[in-house]
Amino acid sequence: MAGGRLSTHVLDTARGKPAEGVVITLYRIDGTARTEIARTVTNHDGRTDQPMLSGDGMAAGVYELVFAAGDYLRASGQADVQAGAGPLFLDEIPIRFGIPDPAQHYHVPLLISPFAYSTYRGS
């Protein structure tokens, strides 16, 4: 029986604060198929108002969170630090991960700056 949840948050490490307004899309991966199952936007604390998955929505499998970091970097003025009018170094950031036990809590945070990002399994 599923009882866990999937949560995330985004921190802007270049500015030293939560990243508000980042669009996050969650996909379930099944072989070569990618199905969107949730979409949200981070709040003033860089968090989502609800878990990305919870309760009966949790299932073992492979998932992908896609963060619209480029839109956030443009809106916050950080895209201006990149020379030229070409594409941003970081735009959409996909993080693919597995959920082996749907009864557990999986927290997948994103730490971003215009030229780097990192993630980890949080608590």
Side-chain angles (χ1 to χ4, degrees):
M1 175 167 195
R5 68 188 187 281
L6 170 65
S7 60
T8 186
H9 74 275
V10 184
L11 297 175
D12 182 334
T13 57
R15 297 170 72 196
K17 63 186 215 174
E20 180 179 5
V22 178
V23 175
I24 305 168
T25 307
L26 175 64
Y27 297 92
R28 179 160 171 100
I29 308 299
D30 188 12
T32 59
R34 186 171 102 155
T35 304
E36 181 179 327
I37 56 175
R39 183 180 295 240
T40 192
V41 178
T42 57
N43 61 25
H44 70 281
D45 199 31
R47 299 182 181 277
T48 61
D49 290 331
Q50 302 293 324
M52 297 298 292
L53 285 176
S54 63
D56 291 339
M58 288 288 287
V62 178
Y63 294 86
E64 186 174 81
L65 285 165
V66 178
F67 298 84
D71 291 342
Y72 168 79
L73 293 169
R74 287 180 192 93
S76 66
Q78 294 181 75
D80 297 339
V81 301
Q82 299 185 29
L88 294 179
F89 180 69
L90 295 175
D91 200 343
E92 288 193 347
I93 299 175
I95 300 173
R96 191 169 287 194
F97 59 96
I99 293 180
D101 181 358
Q104 290 189 26
H105 176 203
Y106 294 86
H107 185 67
V108 183
L110 178 69
L111 288 69
I112 61 171
S113 74
F115 298 104
Y117 71 90
S118 65
T119 190
Y120 55 92
R121 181 176 175 188
S123 57

